[in-house]
Amino acid sequence: MRRLSALAVAVALLGGCAHVEPVAPTAPAPTLRTPYYGTLEPFASDAVYFVMTDRFVNGDRSNDHREQGGPDPERRTFDRPLPDANDANIGYLGGDFRGLLDNAGYIADMGFGAVWLTPIVDNPDEAFTGGDPVGSDAFFKDRGKTGYHGYWGVNFFRLDEHLPSRDLDFAGLTAGLQEHGLKTVLDIVGNHGSPSFTMPVDQPGFGEIYDADGRLVADHQNLAPDQLDPAHNPLHRFFHTEPDLAQLSNNDDTNPQVLDYFCRAYRQWIDQGAAAFRIDTIRHMPGAFWKGFSDCIRADHPGFFMFGEAFDHDPDKIAPFTWPQNGAVSVLDFPLKERIDEVFARRPDGAPAPGYERIAERLYLSGGPYANPYELMTFYDNHDMPRMDAGDNGFIDAHNFLFTARGIPVVYQGSEVGFMRGAAEHAGNRNYFGQARIDGAAGHPIHDALRRIARVREVTPALQRGLQLNLEMAGDRAAFYRVLQDGDFAQIALVLLNKGDAPADFEIARWLQAGRWQAAIAGEAQEVGEGGTLNTRVPAHGVEVWVLNAPIRRADLRAALDTAMAGRLGGPEAPGTR
């Protein structure tokens, strides 16, 4: 269990913003306690800060490669601004490992325990000249773009030259992040490589894949997929002969050499400190491939945590990736994201936002489609969609929910200050964040409120891995328990949320166990007797987490937890699955 032995120390470090005072468990022997938990996954302890490395901080200008691509303005890679596009840019802007590590303390101070960074592998050294212009109406607009984002892999065994410094490679980065208490989540791609056809003239690197020794193992040769000849050309055997995403190569998941290549490549990065994987475009390859991949990775690294991106708001379409037969990989919770956006973002028509009941419908706490809903990655936006368009209070309310409800919260860089809110990819979503904004974040209302609730989660294991029992989720109010009883540790957290513009009074009696309850944020305590109530007021756009460190003794609470524990796992065989 993460930091349990240092719980009191961690609380003291919150500097007055949280006042949970852990009490040593006193009653029955651990072997006699019924276990109650949402998940025992260690990674669930760590909220995740998502960094698009090139757009975070330029900590080392010597690796910018500002002349890369040569004199041809159509092929140069550094600083390619889009005119009249809110400072958007499709070239490299210099963010690197040094800039990330230099700000590890900033990320850890907010209460995050992990950093997810975009792919680190080698990408082409020129801007793409094929495809559709960025300003066109095409859904995927790649002409003129570079691989600043990392998703156009050419050699998956080699670092992209824009990221490391002379004294800081990937192993050094992960070690340095770990010194700040941060795990490294590596973004990986199996579905595709770089743009591979439609170039007026074949460009070096594009459509090519190299192995660990730098040997060319696959080459699209600027041919459309239906022109490939895998039966006669060994360099075509890595690819499907039908297109998938834009002009990206479509790797052949049925070819064992493809699986072997990616298993070997990504095991290398685990050996250098990657602690978890985020899998890009997971739904573009079948479950059988991911089952083989996860078996390969976990053969050497048992229990290695992975979560995938299946961009779909239908839970029935993304949940199968979480099932054991498809690799037991968690996913980003897009269906919940859709409802979070409804509830906390500004509405174009100016009408009042719907209430927490819309969120409750997407939690699937019992008999749902997911193998385990407590291991889903919860979020409200990222680099592939418009940033959430909300006022400061909307971001504060969203964070208060994310860091107390089931799941593992993920926050995209800059959201802690509402950076480029509402902006889509080519209109500011991926703009450079920079050191000045980081240095000025303290004192911003979103940042300070995020730091407060994230650090409460960081020292409250029940919020990380406990079962969730809903009391009320409607309108502007939400109230629920998070309960964790595992071995000799027992904790009940009562979460009260108010997204309204006025203070809200709560009177809690249902399942309320007698004992001394401590308010994690306000610092007050209430002594609750048998059959008593807890009465409190939560400020506008506020949160309170009341904590009781004690084994479960109340009979009706135990019965409710027994039911929740029995039904928490879902999947195709779960009772109640649609």
Side-chain angles (χ1 to χ4, degrees):
M1 227 177 265
R2 182 172 177 262
R3 298 192 180 101
L4 294 189
S5 62
L7 192 54
V9 175
V11 171
L13 291 176
L14 294 185
C17 68
H19 301 272
V20 182
E21 298 193 6
V23 177
T26 55
T31 54
L32 300 180
R33 292 182 183 168
T34 304
Y36 297 121
Y37 53 84
T39 177
L40 294 181
E41 168 56 53
F43 192 80
S45 299
D46 301 296
V48 180
Y49 188 76
F50 170 37
V51 168
M52 175 163 271
T53 312
D54 178 74
R55 301 307 167 88
F56 190 54
V57 172
N58 188 348
D60 179 3
R61 290 174 62 89
S62 71
N63 61 14
D64 288 356
H65 298 279
R66 293 176 179 240
E67 305 304 318
Q68 190 178 70
D72 184 349
E74 299 299 315
R75 298 193 180 202
R76 63 178 174 81
T77 63
F78 193 85
D79 189 15
R80 300 179 60 87
L82 295 175
D84 304 317
N86 205 16
D87 294 327
N89 200 295
I90 53 176
Y92 285 88
L93 292 179
D96 48 35
F97 291 166
R98 175 54 62 194
L100 174 54
L101 187 55
D102 285 349
N103 289 284
Y106 165 78
I107 297 169
D109 176 74
M110 282 190 288
F112 292 95
V115 178
W116 154 19
L117 63 158
T118 40
I120 60 175
V121 301
D122 194 28
N123 274 233
D125 295 340
E126 296 183 350
F128 182 50
T129 60
D132 301 295
V134 168
S136 75
D137 293 330
F139 184 69
F140 289 99
K141 313 172 183 70
D142 288 338
R143 185 182 302 170
K145 280 187 180 180
T146 63
Y148 71 89
H149 43 66
Y151 293 99
W152 291 354
V154 171
N155 189 327
F156 292 78
F157 291 88
R158 180 176 297 174
L159 284 176
D160 190 89
E161 64 277 7
H162 298 84
L163 300 176
S165 297
R166 185 181 301 273
D167 60 346
L168 185 64
D169 59 8
F170 183 67
L173 172 67
T174 62
L177 291 174
Q178 188 61 50
E179 289 178 2
H180 289 84
L182 297 169
K183 297 174 182 174
T184 300
V185 181
L186 182 60
D187 206 323
I188 69 169
V189 187
N191 162 251
H192 62 263
S194 58
S196 299
F197 56 102
T198 71
M199 293 167 276
V201 177
D202 195 7
Q203 297 177 255
F206 286 93
E208 301 169 3
I209 295 179
Y210 293 82
D211 68 10
D213 298 318
R215 293 175 299 200
L216 182 68
V217 296
D219 189 351
H220 228 276
Q221 298 176 324
N222 202 21
L223 297 172
D226 60 3
Q227 295 178 305
L228 297 175
D229 185 14
H232 301 98
N233 189 335
L235 292 177
H236 294 175
R237 291 174 187 165
F238 222 79
F239 309 121
H240 282 297
T241 55
E242 59 275 345
D244 186 14
L245 294 171
Q247 293 81 35
L248 300 175
S249 59
N250 184 11
N251 295 334
D252 185 356
D253 52 89
T254 68
N255 183 347
Q257 293 179 341
V258 172
L259 177 60
D260 175 71
Y261 178 92
F262 286 112
C263 284
R264 289 186 293 109
Y266 291 130
R267 281 199 307 247
Q268 168 187 290
W269 303 118
I270 297 175
D271 292 341
Q272 295 185 32
F277 286 158
R278 179 266 191 184
I279 303 173
D280 184 66
T281 54
I282 193 172
R283 72 189 180 106
H284 291 264
M285 300 178 88
F289 179 88
W290 297 116
K291 178 64 165 65
F293 180 80
S294 64
D295 286 349
C296 170
I297 295 298
R298 290 168 178 157
D300 292 333
H301 304 279
F304 191 82
F305 188 74
M306 295 180 266
F307 61 95
E309 176 233 10
F311 201 138
D312 200 304
H313 295 142
D314 183 346
D316 291 324
K317 292 181 180 177
I318 72 173
F321 293 103
T322 70
W323 302 346
Q325 60 267 39
N326 294 323
V329 172
S330 185
V331 291
L332 287 154
D333 195 346
F334 277 87
L336 182 61
K337 178 267 172 202
E338 182 184 41
R339 296 297 174 85
I340 290 173
D341 197 59
E342 284 185 24
V343 171
F344 299 119
R346 289 186 281 237
R347 292 173 63 92
D349 59 5
Y356 278 105
E357 65 276 2
R358 294 290 288 166
I359 283 176
E361 296 170 357
R362 289 283 172 89
L363 292 177
Y364 302 108
L365 299 176
S366 180
Y370 304 104
N372 189 335
Y374 292 89
E375 296 173 6
L376 299 178
M377 311 302 292
T378 54
F379 71 111
Y380 51 76
D381 67 19
N382 61 31
H383 60 317
D384 285 330
M385 62 188 68
R387 285 181 178 263
M388 187 168 72
D389 186 9
D392 288 359
N393 286 334
F395 281 96
I396 291 169
D397 292 333
H399 293 149
N400 288 341
F401 169 76
L402 281 180
F403 284 81
T404 55
R406 71 99 175 114
I408 305 171
V410 182
V411 175
Y412 180 29
Q413 67 183 45
S415 292
E416 67 270 25
V417 294
F419 180 58
M420 301 307 300
R421 62 188 84 190
E425 178 185 345
H426 296 140
N429 171 289
R430 300 181 178 186
N431 281 15
Y432 183 75
F433 191 43
Q435 192 65 53
R437 291 187 179 89
I438 290 173
D439 293 342
H444 193 287
I446 301 175
H447 169 274
D448 292 356
L450 168 61
R451 180 178 182 270
R452 181 171 61 244
I453 193 59
R455 295 182 76 176
V456 170
R457 184 186 191 272
E458 185 180 31
V459 298
T460 310
L463 296 182
Q464 302 163 12
R465 296 184 287 107
L467 285 169
Q468 180 166 336
L469 294 177
N470 290 340
L471 295 168
E472 175 186 4
M473 291 194 81
D476 292 338
R477 299 161 55 96
F480 50 87
Y481 290 104
R482 299 294 306 277
V483 182
L484 179 63
Q485 184 163 277
D486 178 32
D488 62 354
F489 184 83
Q491 186 176 72
I492 308 171
L494 171 63
V495 176
L496 305 175
L497 300 170
N498 173 23
K499 75 182 186 75
D501 293 331
D505 293 321
F506 288 83
E507 181 177 337
I508 305 298
R510 188 182 186 192
W511 298 327
L512 187 69
Q513 183 164 300
R516 181 178 177 81
W517 289 80
Q518 188 82 34
I521 295 173
E524 63 183 289
Q526 288 193 34
E527 195 71 46
V528 176
E530 295 292 341
T533 61
L534 189 150
N535 297 279
T536 190
R537 172 169 289 187
V538 177
H541 303 287
V543 58
E544 188 55 273
V545 180
W546 290 85
V547 178
L548 176 66
N549 290 286
I552 310 305
R553 296 191 179 92
R554 180 164 170 153
D556 59 349
L557 174 59
R558 185 182 297 116
L561 291 168
D562 287 340
T563 300
M565 188 72 180
R568 80 191 196 288
L569 301 182
E573 307 302 325
T577 299
R578 295 157 298 127

